[in-house]
Amino acid sequence: MSPTESTDPRYRQMNTTVSYGTYSGNVNAPWISEIAPNLWQGGVLPGLILPDIISFHLSLFRHQCYEVHHTLRDTLTVTMADSVDEDLGGVAELANWVNVRRAQGPVLVQCQGGLNRSGLIVGTALVSAGDVPDGAAAIDLIRERRSHAALMNPAFEAYVRGLTAR
């Protein structure tokens, strides 16, 4: 693995086994994945460098962060737990933050592993922007482009499934 591949989350692979909610199995995916134009979803690992193609960064996991070697146009860090009891009252507002910025450039929505919290916000953003007709289509797209393990938190999956494009 070259030095770039070891620090670039588009190439560095996350390899783990998970069992949570609706999923049990292996996760083998890059640390970040492009889900739709200007919309990236992923996790974080110490030593990873945020690619300079990312202009905007939403972090849902404040305990670890990327090394950033370029100027971001905007960044937001929010504390959100990956829990079935998490208050989802601010999800639509975060999805709106993402959509406003992705109209201006690439956005990364990042949590710890890049599966649940980030999937919740990305799925909501996809539906509210009209990129997909409903939450089921958003989940299918995220699982195809990110990982089959995405949105394994049953409360987050149910939230996204309940969405319909306006």
Side-chain angles (χ1 to χ4, degrees):
M1 182 181 314
S2 74
T4 300
E5 290 174 337
S6 68
T7 59
D8 189 325
R10 295 170 293 182
Y11 304 104
R12 177 83 179 262
Q13 293 288 304
M14 171 177 52
N15 296 302
T16 190
T17 301
V18 296
S19 183
Y20 180 64
T22 60
Y23 184 83
S24 182
N26 294 325
V27 177
N28 184 3
W31 279 93
I32 66 172
S33 305
E34 188 173 25
I35 305 302
N38 283 345
L39 184 57
W40 291 75
Q41 177 181 334
V44 65
L45 183 71
L48 292 179
I49 299 171
L50 189 67
D52 61 7
I53 62 161
I54 301 297
S55 298
F56 303 95
H57 181 215
L58 170 58
S59 173
L60 305 165
F61 184 71
R62 66 175 63 242
H63 302 293
Q64 292 176 343
C65 55
Y66 280 96
E67 289 182 34
V68 180
H69 297 177
H70 67 286
T71 302
L72 290 166
R73 294 178 61 192
D74 199 2
T75 186
L76 177 63
T77 301
V78 177
T79 299
M80 180 181 277
D82 183 2
S83 166
V84 296
D85 298 325
E86 180 67 11
D87 178 5
L88 304 181
V91 170
E93 183 180 335
L94 291 172
N96 184 60
W97 186 95
V98 167
N99 283 330
V100 166
R101 280 142 188 90
R102 73 185 265 236
Q104 303 167 45
V107 177
L108 170 62
V109 180
Q110 166 253 305
C111 57
Q112 184 177 15
L115 300 171
N116 283 316
R117 289 166 279 190
S118 58
L120 172 66
I121 303 304
V122 167
T124 305
L126 288 167
V127 175
S128 64
D131 291 315
V132 294
D134 55 34
I139 292 168
D140 289 346
L141 181 63
I142 291 167
R143 287 181 175 163
E144 173 189 324
R145 302 235 170 118
R146 177 79 190 120
S147 169
H148 292 291
L151 288 162
M152 62 187 144
N153 176 319
F156 293 2
E157 180 180 1
Y159 181 95
V160 174
R161 272 197 198 284
L163 300 172
T164 302
R166 295 183 180 112

